[in-house]
């Protein structure tokens, strides 16, 4: 289907567009090749839309016209040949005469469908030089020999048009929907459409029609399952085409079981059928270690194929897959999980031990929804306390700790053996700690540590106690528990991974970034050896990395770690809310609107009762306050305070956000009091990285904090702590403030740089140095302009430098390196007049030479 006239924005194709136009202007033309729906036709239309001097003749290859000689050109070929005139000469002459004095340009869409005569005509036009030609063809489709010869014989350049990238999908969606699209929604639609413009448009239309795609809180977001409209189903079905019974069986098995090993699939069907389906691009082979796996050629094929199967047929296909995989010996761990899921979905019940084992594997792969489903099935089938304990941990991270606690309490009487007692205690203890019942959680875990005998269980008992200590803000206690866990002999794989992740976490939040990073680097190197055994460890490590990198000033690294956390397989993880760190980094860089977007992305997918929700809401309230949206900031802060109240480190985020909500309300005295409260809370709970930021907020508010911040900085690794302490000492000293601001700017912390420069201007005024004050104010204003919409107490009095148009013009020429005489000659002024204008501009800006002007001009 052509994209012409779709009304969707044409973006992301700048390179191919330029290549097509260049090929037309400098050569015989171009062939645009690509899969169906990637936008070949639209590219051709856009390329020819702005090329004056050409007379364009358009033709379209269709199945109907392919039965008629010159069918694609029938609308432009009139009148019979003259005498015994060669038919190709006759057709070319007609086209040439239509062009008149203009150069002939022939555009042929879907040239792979041309009838033989039309295909021969196109080849003749190119070979004879009668016309320049732009043709589109579908990759992988058979082409008439004359069309194929166009690029094989190098008569035309050939451009392969790939699907849109993820970023390009985002640009298209923003233009088509007329607003900002949430990053998670962009990723979802890019994944579903695989960058195919035609499918993307139809999926969007389906989402709009069903309400799955709607504007919420200023962003377009997708919620719910993909809905297949009749039109979308027909489009995908047309691409799949006719299937014989064997081919249909191949495609259905892959649709229900992908990725499938080639040998496994062939054992259920036949190699020839698999090859036929692969040749048509309906399935593709991908390497997966030592296995060759087969996947569908496009995700939407699966929606159509599975939707076309009834309940009985679906169950039969799933049983076939499970039988074959079990017969192969379940050589990989994921084989056990996949076979159990197929058994469950097909209604062919399996043993409770198998379901429980599969639930543990799903949890290890951080798929809590599947883990819950398998664990419940295992319990229903007669599995014991271990399955209940697993279900308790899964329900906890799904935001349903109340159900988890009720289920665990009910199962307590069945926990008789040591393994059952251990797993039950761990799950109950962590759920109590998660729910904020610190005293009871510690009682349960301490009792387990006293009564268990097996070293492996004792190790985990102390690790879980460390987690409870962390939630309560007892980092020294957590460190003691972790050290105790290592005294019971060599650590198991599971205990070692969980212990190391908590050691990194404790080190990061207590300000020992280098230790945290070293532990993470050492342990994450062996990720594949423990990932399935320790489901909490990976997100805990990523959280520790975010904190360590942010507190030590490694902003780019913190953003990358947070992005990895947000990209984990499921949103409902044992540690989540990574957007708080992405937002924090954006805020420090001055991109506060970007901080709001990151928060919105995470909030849209986090469970409503998730404790980590509090820190994301706190960062959202912080950003809203900086943007002056005080009423909304107060509302969000109230939600954040309630959600973050359970744990010390999430409560810290809310307390620091409250400072800036008060400041935005104009209550500076209240903001300072709240800031001191936040600092005391951080110090009491050994959150020294957070303490550093809380004390620095006092400096930003104009309150004294130099001595306390200097003492705090000694506990925190990295150059950022020292820089924040320098800022506190520099207050009142213009030269020192200017040096600190320059260091903030070099570090990418534009908001802090702007505030320090504004403080420099105030210090200059206090010393009676008005000219220097003007210069500092101008620089602060220019920095603040790079933090759009942000207002803080330090920035509130900045004024826009008022320059006349002539002064701006002269400044730009001076910044470009022109002398006063050259400026005067360029503008037809006297040299004295040019110099006077330049000096007046310098006085307004508070600068004194050309070298200082360039950086300011972009903001003025």
């Amino acid at each position: 289907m052509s994209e012409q006239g779709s009304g969707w924005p044409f973006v992301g194709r700048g390179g191919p567009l330029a290549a097509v136009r260049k090929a037309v202007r400098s050569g015989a033309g171009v062939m645009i090749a690509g899969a169906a729906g990637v936008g070949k036709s639209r590219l051709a239309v856009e390329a020819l839309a702005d090329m004056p001097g050409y007379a364009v003749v358009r033709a379209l290859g269709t199945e109907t016209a392919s039965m008629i000689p010159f069918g694609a050109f029938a609308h432009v070929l009139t009148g019979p040949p003259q005498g015994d005139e060669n038919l190709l000469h006759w057709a070319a002459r007609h086209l040439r005469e239509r062009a008149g004095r203009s150069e002939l340009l022939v555009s042929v869409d879907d040239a792979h469908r041309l009838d033989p005569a039309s295909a021969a005509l196109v080849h003749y036009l190119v070979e004879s030089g009668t016309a320049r030609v732009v043709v589109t063809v579908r990759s992988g489709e058979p082409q008439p020999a004359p069309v194929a010869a166009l690029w094989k014989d190098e008569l035309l350049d050939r451009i392969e048009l790939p699907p849109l990238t993820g970023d390009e999908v985002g640009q298209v969606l923003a233009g088509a929907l007329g607003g900002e699209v949430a990053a998670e929604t962009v990723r979802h639609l890019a994944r579903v459409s695989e960058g195919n413009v035609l499918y993307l448009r139809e999926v969007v239309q389906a989402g709009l029609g069903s309400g799955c795609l709607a504007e919420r809180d200023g962003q377009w977001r997708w919620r719910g399952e993909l809905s297949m409209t009749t039109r979308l189903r027909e489009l995908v079905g047309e691409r799949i085409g006719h299937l014989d019974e064997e081919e249909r069986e191949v495609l259905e098995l892959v649709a229900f079981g992908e990725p499938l090993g080639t040998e496994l699939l062939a054992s259920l069907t036949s190699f020839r059928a698999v090859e036929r389906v692969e040749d048509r691009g309906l399935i593709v082979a991908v390497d997966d270690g030592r296995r060759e796996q087969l996947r569908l050629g496009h995700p939407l094929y699966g929606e159509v194929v599975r939707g076309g199967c009834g309940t009985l047929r679906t169950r039969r296909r799933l049983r076939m897959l499970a039988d074959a995989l079990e017969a192969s010996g379940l050589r990989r761990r994921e084989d056990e999980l996949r076979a159990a899921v197929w058994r469950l979905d097909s209604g062919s019940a399996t043993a409770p031990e198998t379901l429980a084992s599969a639930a543990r594997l799903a949890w290890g792969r951080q798929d809590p929804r599947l883990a819950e489903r398998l664990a419940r099935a295992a319990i229903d089938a007669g599995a014991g306390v271990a399955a209940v304990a697993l279900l308790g941990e899964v329900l906890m991270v799904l935001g349903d700790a109340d159900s988890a606690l009720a289920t665990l309490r009910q199962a307590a009487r069945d926990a008789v053996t040591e393994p059952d007692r251990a797993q039950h205690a761990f799950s109950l203890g962590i759920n109590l700690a998660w729910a904020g019942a610190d005293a009871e959680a510690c009682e349960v875990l301490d009792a387990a540590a006293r009564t268990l005998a097996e070293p492996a269980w004792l190790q985990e008992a102390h690790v879980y106690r460390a987690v409870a200590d962390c939630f309560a803000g007892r980092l020294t206690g957590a460190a003691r528990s972790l050290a105790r866990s290592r005294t019971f002999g060599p650590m198991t794989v599971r205990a070692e991974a969980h212990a190391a992740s908590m050691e990194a976490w404790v080190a990061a939040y207590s300000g020992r970034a280098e230790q945290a990073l070293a532990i993470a680097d050492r342990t994450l190197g062996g990720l594949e050896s423990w990932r399935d055994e320790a489901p909490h460890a990976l997100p805990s490590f990523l959280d520790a990395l975010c904190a360590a990198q942010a507190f030590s000033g490694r902003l780019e690294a913190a953003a990358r770690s947070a992005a990895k956390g947000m990209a984990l397989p499921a949103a409902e993880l044992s540690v989540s809310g990574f957007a708080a760190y992405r937002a924090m980094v954006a805020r420090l860089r001055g991109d506060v609107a970007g901080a709001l977007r990151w928060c919105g992305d995470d909030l849209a997918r986090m469970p409503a009762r998730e404790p980590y929700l509090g820190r994301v809401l706190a960062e959202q309230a912080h950003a809203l306050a900086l943007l002056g949206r005080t009423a909304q900031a107060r509302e969000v802060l109230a939600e954040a305070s309630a959600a973050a109240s359970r744990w010390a480190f999430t409560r810290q985020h809310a307390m620091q956000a409250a400072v800036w909500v008060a400041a935005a309300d104009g209550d500076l005295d209240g903001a300072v009091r709240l800031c001191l409260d936040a600092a005391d809370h951080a110090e009491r709970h050994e959150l020294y990285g957070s303490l550093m930021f809380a004390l620095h907020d006092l400096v930003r508010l104009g309150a004294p904090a130099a001595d306390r911040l200097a003492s705090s900085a000694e506990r925190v690794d990295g150059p950022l702590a020292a820089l924040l302490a320098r800022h506190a000492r520099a207050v009142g000293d213009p030269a020192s403030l200017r040096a600190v601001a320059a260091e903030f700017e070099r570090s990418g912390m534009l908001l802090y740089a702007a505030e320090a420069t504004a403080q420099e201007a105030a210090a200059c005024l206090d010393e009676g140095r008005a000219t220097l004050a003007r210069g500092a104010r101008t620089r602060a204003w220019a920095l603040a302009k790079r933090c759009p919409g942000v207002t803080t107490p330090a920035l509130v009095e900045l004024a826009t430098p008022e320059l006349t148009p002539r002064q701006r013009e002269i400044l730009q020429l001076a910044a470009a390196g022109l002398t006063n005489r050259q400026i005067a000659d360029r503008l037809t002024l006297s040299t004295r007049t040019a110099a006077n204008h330049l000096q007046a501009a310098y006085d307004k800006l508070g600068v004194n030479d050309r070298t200082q002007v360039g950086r300011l001009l972009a903001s003025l």
Side-chain angles (χ1 to χ4, degrees):
M1 176 181 174
S2 170
E3 291 298 305
Q4 184 176 355
S6 70
W8 273 42
F10 182 76
V11 298
R13 300 301 199 189
L17 181 64
V20 171
R21 287 178 174 169
K22 179 181 178 182
V24 171
R25 290 190 178 111
S26 62
V30 65
M31 174 180 286
I32 305 170
V38 296
K40 304 181 298 295
S41 305
R42 180 72 181 274
L43 175 60
V45 169
E46 295 292 335
L48 302 184
D50 188 24
M51 295 189 66
Y54 292 95
V56 180
V57 172
R58 302 184 188 278
L60 173 65
T62 65
E63 289 187 13
T64 302
S66 67
M67 308 300 293
I68 306 169
F70 296 112
F73 291 91
H75 62 294
V76 292
L77 296 177
T78 59
Q82 298 177 357
D84 59 353
E85 184 180 16
N86 181 283
L87 289 178
L88 290 180
H89 293 175
W90 161 76
R93 176 172 58 79
H94 261 281
L95 297 179
R96 179 62 261 167
E97 289 172 354
R98 288 179 62 89
R101 295 184 178 182
S102 299
E103 188 166 0
L104 177 62
L105 176 56
V106 176
S107 175
V108 184
D109 204 10
D110 287 344
H112 54 282
R113 291 177 171 171
L114 289 178
D115 62 275
S118 294
L121 174 60
V122 172
H123 186 276
Y124 175 76
L125 292 172
V126 175
E127 190 175 43
S128 65
T130 303
R132 303 191 185 207
V133 172
V134 175
V135 298
T136 72
V137 296
R138 186 177 297 175
S139 298
E141 293 281 339
Q143 300 170 14
V147 173
L150 291 174
W151 65 274
K152 288 183 177 179
D153 294 343
E154 299 183 351
L155 298 174
L156 294 182
D157 293 338
R158 179 180 169 117
I159 295 174
E160 289 287 341
L161 189 64
L164 296 172
T165 65
D167 288 343
E168 290 164 355
V169 167
Q171 295 172 39
V172 171
L173 290 171
L177 295 171
E180 187 177 324
V181 185
E184 181 63 24
T185 296
V186 172
R187 288 192 290 269
H188 170 68
L189 293 176
R191 183 169 57 250
V192 169
S193 67
E194 286 197 342
N196 184 293
V197 184
L198 176 60
Y199 292 160
L200 176 65
R201 189 178 73 233
E202 296 303 326
V203 169
V204 166
Q205 293 299 328
L208 291 171
S210 66
C212 290
L213 182 61
E215 195 170 16
R216 302 176 176 93
D217 299 324
Q219 286 188 318
W220 287 91
R221 299 183 184 280
W222 186 286
R223 289 181 181 172
E225 298 297 321
L226 176 66
S227 54
M228 294 290 291
T229 62
T230 300
R231 174 173 166 75
L232 181 55
R233 193 178 299 279
E234 288 175 351
L235 284 171
V236 178
E238 180 184 348
R239 175 64 188 92
I240 293 173
H242 174 73
L243 300 170
D244 64 29
E245 189 57 36
E246 280 191 331
E247 293 166 345
R248 180 181 178 184
E249 184 175 53
V250 167
L251 204 57
E252 287 176 354
L253 288 168
V254 177
F256 284 111
E258 66 175 333
L260 283 181
T262 304
E263 296 292 335
L264 181 71
L265 180 60
S267 71
L268 293 170
T269 55
S270 72
F271 269 115
R272 287 191 175 183
V274 173
E275 288 173 354
R276 291 199 304 273
V277 176
E278 183 187 24
D279 287 344
R280 293 170 58 177
L282 300 179
I283 59 174
V284 293
V286 293
D287 288 331
D288 178 19
R290 289 177 294 177
R291 285 185 180 180
E292 182 182 72
Q293 304 274 35
L294 294 170
R295 290 186 176 274
L296 293 172
H298 195 281
L300 291 178
Y301 296 167
E303 297 292 335
V304 170
V305 171
R306 289 188 295 269
C309 291
T311 301
L312 296 180
R313 190 181 187 91
T314 296
R315 289 180 175 177
R316 178 159 58 88
R317 292 297 185 219
L318 291 169
R319 283 196 298 272
M320 288 174 63
L321 289 167
D323 289 343
L325 192 57
E326 288 168 354
S328 72
L330 303 178
R331 292 187 292 271
R332 291 185 177 184
R333 298 195 69 185
E334 63 262 29
D335 291 347
E336 179 185 347
L337 174 59
R338 301 178 79 206
V341 172
W342 290 336
R343 286 289 180 206
L344 190 60
D345 289 342
S346 68
S348 52
T350 189
E353 296 80 9
T354 302
L355 289 168
S357 177
R360 285 191 293 272
L361 286 170
W363 183 214
R365 295 300 167 95
Q366 294 171 343
D367 189 341
R369 295 290 180 192
L370 179 58
E372 178 195 10
R373 184 163 165 256
L374 288 164
R376 288 191 184 278
I379 294 168
D380 290 343
V385 173
V388 176
L390 175 62
L391 178 62
E393 290 199 26
V394 172
L395 288 175
M396 176 186 74
V397 303
L398 290 173
D400 196 4
D402 290 344
S403 293
L405 287 170
T407 302
L408 288 163
R409 293 188 194 283
Q410 186 176 0
R413 63 180 180 273
D414 298 323
V416 178
T417 67
E418 179 163 280
D420 282 352
R421 287 190 295 110
Q423 293 175 81
H424 181 269
F426 301 158
S427 186
L428 178 59
I430 197 66
N431 264 284
L432 288 165
W434 188 274
D438 176 54
E440 189 178 358
C442 292
E443 182 180 338
V444 167
L445 294 169
D446 288 345
R450 288 194 305 271
T451 58
L452 295 173
E454 176 65 35
W457 297 127
L458 287 168
Q459 291 169 1
E460 291 208 52
H462 288 284
V463 172
Y464 275 91
R465 175 57 197 268
V467 175
D469 285 333
C470 286
F471 286 168
R474 298 184 295 267
L475 299 195
T476 297
R480 283 197 298 266
S481 294
L482 291 168
R484 178 72 173 146
S485 73
R486 294 187 177 279
T487 64
F488 297 99
M491 300 282 278
T492 66
V493 170
R494 174 184 166 90
E496 174 61 41
H498 279 148
S501 72
M502 294 314 300
E503 286 165 348
W505 198 97
V506 169
Y509 278 84
S510 59
R512 291 174 281 121
E514 300 308 319
Q515 180 183 350
L517 295 172
I519 294 171
D521 184 63
R522 180 178 68 247
T523 314
L524 288 172
L527 173 63
E528 293 307 316
S529 67
W530 54 258
R531 184 171 190 164
D532 290 347
E533 298 290 336
H536 295 280
L538 179 57
S540 296
F541 268 123
L542 291 174
D543 189 73
L545 284 174
C546 288
Q549 289 157 346
F551 294 151
S552 60
R554 299 171 168 94
L555 298 189
E556 188 61 39
R560 287 196 300 270
S561 295
K564 290 178 182 177
M566 293 179 74
L568 286 171
E572 310 98 337
L573 296 168
S574 53
V575 175
S576 57
F578 287 99
Y581 281 106
R582 294 216 75 169
M584 178 184 179
V585 170
R587 170 170 53 81
L588 292 172
R589 288 171 169 167
D591 181 15
V592 180
L596 277 183
R597 287 194 296 273
W598 286 120
C599 291
D601 284 347
D602 232 15
L603 292 172
R605 61 182 191 157
M606 291 178 71
R609 303 176 66 187
E610 160 68 70
Y612 284 92
L613 181 73
R615 71 177 179 185
V616 183
L617 285 168
E619 192 62 51
Q620 185 182 44
H622 195 153
L624 288 166
L626 293 178
L627 293 173
R629 295 160 62 177
T630 52
Q632 190 178 357
R634 283 193 298 271
E635 292 177 7
V636 174
L637 178 62
E639 294 180 53
S641 299
S645 61
R646 299 186 204 174
W647 304 336
F649 70 95
T650 54
R651 192 158 60 244
Q652 184 70 34
H653 285 267
M655 294 180 76
Q656 290 182 220
V659 172
W660 293 98
V661 174
D665 267 334
D667 182 10
L668 294 188
D669 289 340
V672 169
R673 286 194 301 273
L674 289 169
C675 203
L676 289 169
D677 289 345
D680 290 345
H681 179 272
E683 190 157 28
R684 185 164 60 252
H685 293 292
E686 306 168 274
L687 301 169
Y688 296 124
S690 296
L691 173 62
M692 170 187 71
F693 278 113
L695 293 174
H696 183 250
D697 282 351
L698 286 172
V699 179
R700 298 168 62 202
L701 292 168
D707 292 343
R708 194 174 175 188
L709 186 50
S711 175
S712 169
E714 293 176 358
R715 298 168 171 172
V716 180
D717 294 344
L720 178 57
L723 179 57
L724 298 184
R726 278 176 56 202
H727 186 188
R729 293 193 302 271
V731 172
D733 180 351
S736 296
L737 284 167
R738 186 167 188 174
V740 166
E743 188 61 34
F744 278 138
E745 187 177 3
R746 279 194 291 273
S747 301
M749 299 182 182
L750 296 181
L751 179 55
Y752 288 0
E755 290 177 325
T757 307
Q759 291 173 337
E760 176 196 347
C764 288
L765 280 178
D766 290 343
E767 294 180 359
R769 303 163 74 179
T771 300
L772 290 178
R774 283 197 301 273
R777 188 180 294 113
T778 299
R779 283 185 279 107
W781 180 84
L783 286 164
K785 286 283 285 182
R786 295 163 66 187
C787 307
V790 177
T791 301
T792 68
L795 303 179
V796 73
E797 295 183 358
L798 295 178
T800 303
E802 297 294 341
L803 298 176
T804 67
R806 177 63 84 184
Q807 287 169 346
R808 287 176 181 270
E809 187 176 24
I810 289 175
L811 276 178
Q812 288 171 341
L813 294 173
L818 275 67
T819 65
N820 287 358
R821 178 179 292 279
Q822 289 170 324
I823 293 172
D825 291 343
R826 175 78 63 88
L827 301 179
T828 319
L829 301 172
S830 69
T831 303
R832 179 183 295 276
T833 300
N836 288 341
H837 277 303
L838 189 58
Q839 188 58 51
Y842 284 169
D843 290 342
K844 287 184 179 181
L845 295 176
V847 299
N848 53 28
D849 61 48
R850 286 166 165 79
T851 60
Q852 300 177 35
V853 171
R855 293 177 59 199
L856 299 177
L857 286 178
S859 301
L860 294 175

